[in-house]
Amino acid sequence: MPKKELLDEISAGEVKLAGLNGDRTAVDDGEIIIPGVTEDVQKTHYCGKLNIDYVNQAVKLAGWVGKRRDHGGLIFIDLRDRSGQVQLVFDQRQGNDLFNLAESLRNEYVIAIKGEVIKRSEETINRSIPTGEIEVSVNSMDILNSAKTPPFYIEDNINVDENLRLRYRYLDLRRPEMLNRLKLRHRTIKLIRDYMDRYDFLEVETPVLTRSTPEGARDFLVPSRMQGGEFYALPQSPQLFKQLLMVSGIERYFQVVRCFRDEDLRADRQPEFTQVDIETSFLNAENLFFLTEGLVKELWEKIHGTEISQPFTKMPYREAMNRFGTDKPDLRYGMELVDLNEAAGKSDFKVFKTALENGGAVKGLCLPGGVSLSRKDLDDLTLLARQLGAKGLAWAYVEDEGWRSPIAKFFKQPLIEAINHKMAARPGDVLLFVADKWETSCTVLGHLRVKFAPENLPKEPHFLWVIDFPLFHYNEEEQRYDSDHHPFTAPRPEDMPLLEEDPLSVRAQAYDLVLNGVEIGGGSMRIHDSVIQSRIFELLGLSKEESTEKFGFLLEALSYGAPPHGGIALGLDRLIALLNGDDSIRQVIPFPKTANASCLMTGAPAPVSDQQLQELKLSIEEKQEEK
RNA sequence: GGAGCUGUGGUGUAGAUGGUUAACAUAUCGGCCUGUCAAGCCGAAGAUCGCGGGUUCGAGUCCCGUCAGCUCCGCCA
């Protein structure tokens, strides 16, 4: 079949959406079919797929004992497997041996049965479960394994310490809602692979043992036995490899790949996580946007059943900061930040005026109905603002006559009215002000905006591209420029002249994909000219020797005919969590780590033997006893 | 590195101001029970209150420390 051109496909609108909603496997047909395997199977059907169509059929089922309801001469067992559950019936009148065996069943025993699907009488139908119209009359049973009483209930909507769930994760995953998360994850990855394949992307694997590079997150290190005293690093992302694959002429690469960053954890951050890593040659950012939009659109439509319209909104970084105080704004609600530089200049409030004189900004945020906040609440907010980096937080209760506020005396009545007007403030609202460096004023109020976000926000996805990130930011600690994205990001061509005179004002060809206030991906067009790449390294404070030592292979590769290229990486765990409506990515990772980066099930990380250490030429410093 | 919240039978919770045998639900075990599906009824067993120290005549409760989990800040190109 001849290859189609990507852009032709896009313009022809050939991204087909099948409206598929379930997993399309043999399971859907109830019967489990493995071609060529006909004898000695322990189960012929999945429990949860049986229904009225199977009445009078002989079936072999196997699974776990869920609930048991023992009525004396009649025992009901809910048999659970991967697909769901079905009710088994044991009737004493049909024989004592089997019945006595059934009486010995306990929760989570593993059993295999042979039986017949029978229709339930009208009064005994259970409409609340999919298999509720039928039940299975058991003719024979093998108890394949017994089970200890589980430490928590194997059912949905449990309220258990996460500690326990993580320690017994294999039992936690037995719960249908967790099993469904694994299925959702599988289906998501399959849709991604199919989509990328449709557009001629090659999935190429890259090394997990690679070399540590400066900048970025802290690396996980792996000691080398062959070269004692030297270390591999686990990749923070396959960034350099995918660029090198572009030099190799792959043109379109993707990978569902594990990445590692040794930084502190959060609800949406694990030390190892999965990226959908994408890199293309000969496509510009707009092409890449369209492609990425098509991918997430497909996921939401096929998995979530939500219609998504393209193209997504785009917003420059500067605007996102000015209006929402963050580079990942949640557009589902307003409460936008207001620029008050002009009004602040007319006030007699020294704090505001000083901030302006130092080149900073005065920003405001209106909390509708904020009158319900007590004086102490506002003190707490001030404390929070300080923790977030602001020097302070000014506030004002908006009343009919004016402001009730410690700073009201610095503002003449017309000025108060002008500010109220600009912030659309009404009596009963509270106004919050921060005067500081522009970025601080924005981010502090941006945090408070999120803190006071309306409850019950709509679930509908609001996708957003944040574009035009700065190429560099200034690292105060190290007294030098740092890449905002990474050092391989291309500057916008029209900003190239600024590279020498005003590096901080250079905009990058970098972009983040944001969904409802969550960053779900980011990428950039890359530098494919080794001269420009060298210059960027210099600006970042890397000497010629350092850049040759750390990145020589990249610079060399770029000099062998590197095509223009760029790409993006999507956070798969976050995507899946959002698709499932979960707050934490731990829910959709089969075996996650705790906030301490340990695994409660295996006990990792753990000490190793002296022999292992010796082979690696490592020695462990004894922990200092604190006196 | 910092801050906050949580920790009581297997599980989930209750135990104001310190006071005798730590309560409830559920699970577990035993008995009864032929149409349940959160089955029902009767009974039994099950907790050194995360750990260590301190204050006190007396600590689940107060204080200090520590451990673990969660959330956030710093950090995460």
Side-chain angles (χ1 to χ4, degrees), chain A residues 448-460:
Chain A
L448 298 178
R449 173 179 175 268
V450 171
K451 189 178 166 67
F452 289 98
E455 285 170 24
N456 302 320
L457 287 168
K459 291 247 163 64
E460 280 71 49

Side-chain angles (χ1 to χ4, degrees), chain A residues 42-70:
Chain A
Q42 273 175 329
K43 60 195 289 182
T44 55
H45 293 73
Y46 278 119
C47 300
K49 300 292 180 183
L50 294 176
N51 58 40
I52 202 82
D53 299 336
Y54 294 85
V55 168
N56 297 329
Q57 279 195 32
V59 293
K60 290 185 188 174
L61 302 177
W64 288 260
V65 173
K67 286 244 161 61
R68 103 195 119 92
R69 292 174 292 280
D70 185 344

Side-chain angles (χ1 to χ4, degrees), chain A residues 491-516:
Chain A
R492 283 184 45 153
E494 65 269 39
D495 289 359
M496 283 298 287
L498 295 167
L499 213 46
E500 304 302 330
E501 41 202 87
D502 185 11
L504 285 179
S505 70
V506 176
R507 289 167 301 172
Q509 297 187 62
Y511 31 82
D512 277 356
L513 182 56
V514 175
L515 170 56
N516 296 351

Side-chain angles (χ1 to χ4, degrees), chain A residues 242-278:
Chain A
K242 68 175 176 177
Q243 289 192 238
L244 294 168
L245 286 170
M246 293 303 103
V247 180
S248 304
I250 297 298
E251 300 195 27
R252 293 179 199 176
Y253 145 94
F254 88 104
Q255 189 181 188
V256 177
V257 63
R258 199 65 59 87
C259 302
F260 307 85
R261 294 178 191 175
D262 188 5
E263 296 291 348
D264 286 3
L265 288 77
R266 290 284 188 280
D268 62 354
R269 265 164 38 191
Q270 284 273 306
E272 53 178 307
F273 59 99
T274 306
Q275 267 185 192
V276 180
D277 196 43
I278 294 171

